[in-house]
Amino acid sequence: MNEGTTIMRMRLTELMKERREKMTWAALENATGIRKATLLALDKGTAKSVRLEHIDALCTYFQVKAGDLIMAEPVRLPLAADVRPDMKGNKYRSEAG
């Protein structure tokens, strides 16, 4: 197993829950100008890419730094699932899975 391997993910759900008022994806879309589908993909880790202006808009809205928005989570390799869901069936897929 590889030690120290990480995967990046956005903490959108957690940041939304930390707000005092109830927050919906539609409200976040309206506040940031980022499409709901994009927000959901960023939150689930299925986005093919991340635009810097999206990170900037989310950081501004939640009043956090990029390091508070994006987290590196440790993972154990080999993964049993695709790390890159947009690349199904290629070299990114685990041999064990």
Side-chain angles (χ1 to χ4, degrees):
M1 299 280 170
N2 262 348
E3 297 298 324
T5 303
T6 60
I7 190 166
M8 305 304 285
R9 76 170 190 87
M10 295 258 185
R11 297 184 53 245
L12 295 179
T13 299
E14 294 96 327
L15 290 170
M16 289 170 66
K17 287 180 180 177
E18 289 174 8
R19 296 188 66 83
R20 291 182 194 163
E21 70 275 1
K22 183 177 178 178
M23 171 115 268
T24 65
W25 292 107
L28 187 57
E29 175 184 32
N30 290 334
T32 62
I34 303 169
R35 290 181 43 231
K36 181 180 172 183
T38 301
L39 292 168
L40 291 170
L42 291 171
D43 190 55
K44 292 178 183 177
T46 58
K48 292 181 181 181
S49 63
V50 179
R51 297 175 67 161
L52 293 177
E53 61 244 34
H54 290 171
I55 294 172
D56 185 47
L58 291 165
C59 287
T60 299
Y61 179 76
F62 289 113
Q63 298 179 344
V64 297
K65 294 181 180 177
D68 299 322
L69 175 67
I70 304 168
M71 253 182 98
E73 288 189 337
V75 294
R76 293 176 47 123
L77 295 177
L79 296 175
D82 289 332
V83 172
R84 300 256 324 258
D86 59 315
M87 307 288 278
K88 292 192 185 297
N90 73 4
K91 65 183 179 181
Y92 292 101
R93 185 163 176 82
S94 169
E95 300 295 323

